Amino acid sequence: MENGKKIINQLAERNPTKFSQELLQFSCLPDEIIIEILLRLPVKSLLKLRCVSKSWLSLLSSPHFVKTQIKFSVKECKNVNLRLVVVASVVSGLVGRMCSVYSVVCENSSVNVAKIDCPLKPPFGSAKFLGSCNGLICLTAMSSKLMLWNPSTGKYKEFEDSFVQSAVNCYIRYGFGYNAANDDYKVVKIFSFPRDEGKYENRVKIYSLRANSWKMSQGFDGGYINAQPGMFLNETLHWEVSRCSGSGASSEIMTLDLATERYGVMALPNCGNGNVSWKLSVLGGSLVACCNYYPDRTDMWVMKEYGAVKSWTKLVSLSSPFGRMGYISPLFVSENGDEVLVKLGTSLSLYSKRTASHKSLEIHSSGCCLQVQAVAYIESLASPHDVGDM
């Protein structure tokens, strides 16, 4: 199957016109079979095939095909074929602070890095990822605008961020995901105001891509929401929340169902007491929680069955190369589980479980690196514009 897929990809890449003509010669094939073949092509090939003829443009641009391609990519997305967008912020000589954007492709134990174009207007000194869903990435590099960007097609859409009047001690948290029932992408913005005894008042606004507008949503009281964006899985956003009480600190996962816009709570793995912090991620369609033990160890847990607390399973323990761990973000796990790609400080590091050693990946070419951000995405034809056009 893999060899056949490679041959199809090569034919489409080298001569899209010839490939389309040969494919259509099989007139006895039902349209469903032809679509099944096309779904297995990379987005780059599909974009080329759109230029072959009006009929192919109509087929490959139809809302039905685009939605089918997204569903296929989400279903087939595995850790053995992961794509990342990485932004490295560096200080270089007299130029000052600048950002560069890279694509990182992980396939089994092979990791390839390449610089890519980004719609953020250069020069820009910082960028912040707010989430990833269906091949679209939500990000910002400005204080007044957000952006949805598809790295596979290069298309993007800018829209106004939502603000409150200048407030003292207000913490901002984001999340980005998709509501299939309404065919709508949503950006969630949480304004957290500290109150007495470690409690927080949280006001929430939600942006709808379909409506192209923000609205106030139901707020909630709770603990401190981790600074990382919400992790999207099963049409639900997940944030790690810590609570302080007389008996000490505790952590749990707060969820927001994007269909019902209702909040829920999910327990983290039982890692005992001590000086620990948590980091959430999504790998291969499963929720992952990293328990960071200070100063030098991290346990990575995976939820085998979504929503079942008893299904939390320890995947791997990682030691730190620096004698201190801090926050660690898992990005990729090899098929046999022996290697883990993580964001560690200002670098990406490939950890070998067999040798308990780290190998740093060279992302930026020069300058002093201040910050590295990475977000995983799938290749898709998802449009960052009006979802009605998809």
Side-chain angles (χ1 to χ4, degrees), residues 21 43 48 53 58 61 64 75 90 117 129 135 166 201 239 251 266 270 305 309 318 324 328 371:
Q21 291 172 346
V43 169
K48 288 183 177 180
S53 66
S58 177
S61 302
H64 174 72
K75 184 178 179 181
V90 301
D117 293 328
F129 290 132
S166 179
E201 175 190 354
W239 292 269
S251 295
M266 191 180 293
N270 185 6
E305 181 182 347
V309 175
L318 297 87
R324 59 180 181 82
I328 184 172
Q371 184 185 46

Side-chain angles (χ1 to χ4, degrees), residues 87-338:
V87 170
S89 178
V90 301
V91 171
S92 180
L94 300 176
V95 178
R97 179 168 175 162
M98 297 185 66
C99 279
S100 297
V101 184
Y102 303 86
S103 172
V104 178
V105 179
C106 305
E107 201 165 3
N108 293 324
S109 296
S110 175
V111 180
N112 299 309
V113 180
K115 198 168 183 178
I116 60 174
D117 293 328
C118 178
L120 295 175
K121 303 298 186 294
F124 61 99
S126 63
K128 185 176 182 181
F129 290 132
L130 307 180
S132 173
C133 172
N134 290 355
L136 295 179
I137 295 174
C138 184
L139 72 159
T140 181
M142 298 169 286
S143 59
S144 61
K145 288 185 180 294
L146 301 180
M147 177 184 292
L148 296 183
W149 171 44
N150 186 329
S152 301
T153 64
K155 294 183 178 181
Y156 66 95
K157 173 185 174 69
E158 288 184 331
F159 56 97
E160 295 293 329
D161 198 353
S162 178
F163 291 95
V164 294
Q165 296 296 323
S166 179
V168 178
N169 295 331
C170 177
Y171 301 94
I172 305 296
R173 305 293 182 252
Y174 286 93
F176 170 62
Y178 178 68
N179 173 20
N182 295 326
D183 186 23
D184 194 11
Y185 290 90
K186 295 183 177 181
V187 179
V188 177
K189 187 171 185 178
I190 303 174
F191 306 89
S192 290
F193 299 88
R195 297 295 183 246
D196 296 333
E197 300 179 352
K199 296 181 180 179
Y200 288 77
E201 175 190 354
N202 299 286
R203 303 172 190 172
V204 180
K205 298 194 76 173
I206 298 179
Y207 172 83
S208 162
L209 180 61
R210 176 173 287 280
N212 192 27
S213 63
W214 292 87
K215 71 170 185 178
M216 290 297 302
S217 185
Q218 180 182 354
F220 61 94
D221 293 331
Y224 178 79
I225 304 174
N226 191 301
Q228 74 176 116
M231 295 291 109
F232 179 73
L233 180 66
N234 287 356
E235 297 194 33
T236 301
L237 287 168
H238 306 74
W239 292 269
E240 182 266 317
V241 176
S242 59
R243 302 177 185 274
C244 295
S245 62
S247 58
S250 62
S251 295
E252 61 188 6
I253 300 173
M254 183 191 75
T255 64
L256 175 60
D257 186 318
L258 291 182
T260 63
E261 296 186 2
R262 293 180 180 176
Y263 303 96
V265 174
M266 191 180 293
L268 285 160
N270 185 6
C271 291
N273 300 320
N275 186 16
V276 300
S277 62
W278 290 93
K279 191 82 169 179
L280 299 180
S281 184
V282 173
L283 293 177
S286 297
L287 190 63
V288 172
C290 279
C291 182
N292 295 283
Y293 296 87
Y294 290 98
D296 57 8
R297 191 181 102 242
T298 289
D299 287 345
M300 187 184 301
W301 296 74
V302 60
M303 182 174 268
K304 296 284 189 178
E305 181 182 347
Y306 181 76
V309 175
K310 292 184 178 179
S311 71
W312 280 117
T313 304
K314 188 189 294 186
L315 188 63
V316 64
S317 290
L318 297 87
S319 59
S320 170
F322 310 126
R324 59 180 181 82
M325 184 60 74
Y327 282 108
I328 184 172
S329 299
L331 302 172
F332 161 78
V333 179
S334 62
E335 194 171 11
N336 58 15
D338 285 344

